[in-house]
């Protein structure tokens, strides 16, 4: 759902990582492995900008054969899924707070990607939007 293809470009002594779908996410590493680890943080940070600005999340394109993809952590994916459902339905944070019986700071924390929200809160928000959270271990 949030698997974004990356472009890895050797750049002197480092490897540059860019995302065609999320141009704000740019990072590097000393080799491909480190670059891909750094890419997760860069992607999460860039997607947080979209959430903070209340903009729709970029849709990941289909990766080319053999192209690496990067996804946010599982918790962030769940938060982003709830955010995407909310924006697709045209629901504001204040309406979500009303449906959940929460105060606005609680809803703000739910969409703060750097906040370690409790998973049951994410599930409650999904239910309030008529959705459910599914977890798969592959």
């Amino acid at each position: 759902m949030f698997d974004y293809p990356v472009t890895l470009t050797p750049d002197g002594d480092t490897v540059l990582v860019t995302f065609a779908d999320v141009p704000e996410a740019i990072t590097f590493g000393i080799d491909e492995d480190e670059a891909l680890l750094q890419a997760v943080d860069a992607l999460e940070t860039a997607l947080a900008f979209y959430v903070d600005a209340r903009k729709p999340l970029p849709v990941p394109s289909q990766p080319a054969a053999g192209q690496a993809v990067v996804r946010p952590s599982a918790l962030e994916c769940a938060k982003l899924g709830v955010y995407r459902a909310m924006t697709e339905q045209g629901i504001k944070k204040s309406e979500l707070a009303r449906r959940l019986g929460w105060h606005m700071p609680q809803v703000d924390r739910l969409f703060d990607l750097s906040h370690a929200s409790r998973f049951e809160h994410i599930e409650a928000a999904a239910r309030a939007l008529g959705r459910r959270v599914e977890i798969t271990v592959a």
Side-chain angles (χ1 to χ4, degrees):
M1 177 176 209
F2 295 107
D3 291 348
Y4 289 91
V6 296
T7 301
L8 301 171
T9 308
D11 188 26
D13 292 339
T14 62
V15 176
L16 178 68
V17 181
T18 56
F19 295 79
D21 304 315
V22 188
E24 300 86 352
I26 302 170
T27 191
F28 65 93
I30 58 171
D31 57 26
E32 284 191 13
D33 290 336
E34 182 183 317
L36 289 171
L37 285 173
Q38 295 297 331
V40 174
D41 184 54
L43 178 61
E44 289 176 354
T45 300
L47 293 176
F49 294 147
Y50 285 83
V51 173
D52 291 345
R54 297 187 175 134
K55 295 167 85 173
L57 298 172
V59 177
S61 57
Q62 192 67 25
Q67 185 177 16
V69 295
V70 171
R71 78 173 57 107
S73 72
L75 182 64
E76 279 74 16
C77 283
K79 288 180 171 210
L80 291 168
V82 170
Y83 174 78
R84 180 174 279 166
M86 190 178 78
T87 57
E88 286 173 353
Q89 294 175 28
I91 294 173
K92 304 279 187 212
K93 287 200 265 185
S94 58
E95 172 60 17
L96 183 60
R98 186 193 66 74
R99 290 181 184 187
L100 292 166
W102 293 359
H103 298 286
M104 279 303 295
Q106 291 172 286
V107 175
D108 288 335
R109 283 191 302 272
L110 183 72
F111 295 113
D112 178 352
L113 297 186
S114 64
H115 179 75
S117 297
R118 292 174 49 184
F119 217 82
E120 57 262 27
H121 292 166
I122 296 168
E123 289 177 304
R127 279 192 306 275
L129 297 167
R131 303 284 175 90
R132 68 181 186 283
V133 176
E134 294 180 354
I135 299 172
T136 303
V137 177

